[in-house]
Amino acid sequence: MQIRASLAAVLALVGFLTLVASNGVKEAKRGAESRRAGLVKLIHTRQGEVDSLGRQLLRLRADVTDARHRLSATSAEDSRRLHDVSVWAGTTRMAGPGLEIRLSDSHRTAKSDSDRESLAVHDVDLQLVVNALWAAGAEAVAVNGQRLVATSPIRAAGETVTVNFRPLVPPYKVEAIGAARKTFEASEVAQRFRRWVDEYGLGFSVRSHKKVAVPAYQGTIQLSTAHPAEGGR
């Protein structure tokens, strides 16, 4: 009888501890979910504020450009130089014939962490494509609507790719005005992606358009002075 009583007491204690632990896990899970929801809401709020400020910045830049044009209206040379500077700085919207490159993750199922890395498009992949487009003669480039300028970073934040510190969602659309299609497709980068389409199932396509529209850069221009390279524009 004493053994049975002891066994019953042990089982009761184990059951009590299991119940306490289970309740603790549930409470911790609910707390984590609540904090996660709060962070997601905060991120969306801040992203909306950033987008609003970006649109306001574009309007102010347009006002400044109009004012400068009025001041330099008496000089065609000054007006041309102002336009050229705005184009090179990326602060003006551009449109013209160009290329559209689309990149997307593979639909294949990853069997390991190594596979997962190979089946996704990363920040370095976008960097390679963008550099190949510049080399092919691109005058203006945008990734998912984000205009690239001399100081634009293309980086990874965890598993998310960011451009100009804005998170992007795949698939990725890279638009380039003035890039020569034959030159780009003959590049080592384009040929490498063609191989990856067959090997890993990544999405990669190149299309030519008579008109590609690239928006103005929405961020802050941090350069204060710059000089063209020897032989450059």
Side-chain angles (χ1 to χ4, degrees):
M1 292 294 292
Q2 185 176 2
I3 294 176
R4 291 181 178 178
S6 298
L7 180 59
V10 170
L11 292 176
L13 179 60
V14 170
F16 174 74
L17 293 176
T18 301
L19 179 62
V20 171
S22 176
N23 288 335
V25 170
K26 290 179 180 178
E27 288 296 330
K29 186 176 181 180
R30 282 195 290 267
E33 291 175 349
S34 177
R35 289 192 296 272
R36 186 180 299 109
L39 288 173
V40 170
K41 182 178 180 180
L42 179 61
I43 289 172
H44 286 314
T45 299
R46 293 291 184 266
Q47 187 64 57
E49 292 174 355
V50 170
D51 291 340
S52 177
L53 290 172
R55 290 190 292 269
Q56 183 179 355
L57 179 61
L58 289 179
R59 289 194 296 270
L60 291 173
R61 280 183 178 161
D63 292 342
V64 171
T65 299
D66 289 341
R68 286 176 175 172
H69 283 156
R70 288 194 297 271
L71 290 174
S72 62
T74 57
S75 172
E77 177 63 18
D78 287 345
S79 180
R80 184 190 64 79
R81 290 180 60 186
L82 177 62
H83 173 75
D84 289 345
V85 169
S86 298
V87 169
W88 297 336
T91 56
T92 187
R93 179 182 180 276
M94 293 182 63
L99 301 180
E100 176 189 300
I101 316 298
R102 286 187 177 268
L103 304 166
S104 60
D105 296 341
S106 174
H107 293 294
R108 298 178 185 177
T109 302
K111 299 179 180 179
S112 65
D113 290 340
S114 177
D115 284 349
R116 190 174 296 107
E117 290 291 316
S118 300
L119 299 180
V121 176
H122 301 281
D123 55 327
V124 291
D125 300 322
L126 288 173
Q127 292 171 10
L128 290 171
V129 169
V130 167
N131 288 337
L133 288 168
W134 290 127
E139 299 175 4
V141 178
V143 181
N144 281 25
Q146 286 295 319
R147 176 74 171 270
L148 299 182
V149 296
T151 57
S152 291
I154 301 177
R155 296 175 179 169
E159 296 183 356
T160 302
V161 175
T162 67
V163 175
N164 294 333
F165 304 104
R166 302 289 187 90
L168 304 185
V169 178
Y172 305 104
K173 181 171 69 171
V174 185
E175 297 170 293
I177 295 175
R181 179 167 183 169
K182 289 184 178 179
T183 303
F184 174 76
E185 294 206 289
S187 69
E188 193 275 335
V189 170
Q191 294 176 25
R192 183 187 306 179
F193 270 92
R194 294 293 186 195
R195 293 196 302 270
W196 289 347
V197 169
D198 296 330
E199 294 177 9
Y200 305 111
L202 293 178
F204 177 72
S205 64
V206 182
R207 296 180 62 187
S208 299
H209 293 286
K210 293 182 179 180
K211 184 178 181 180
V212 173
V214 173
Y217 175 64
Q218 294 187 11
T220 302
I221 302 297
Q222 298 178 352
L223 291 179
S224 57
T225 59
H227 301 281
E230 189 68 27
R233 293 182 296 179

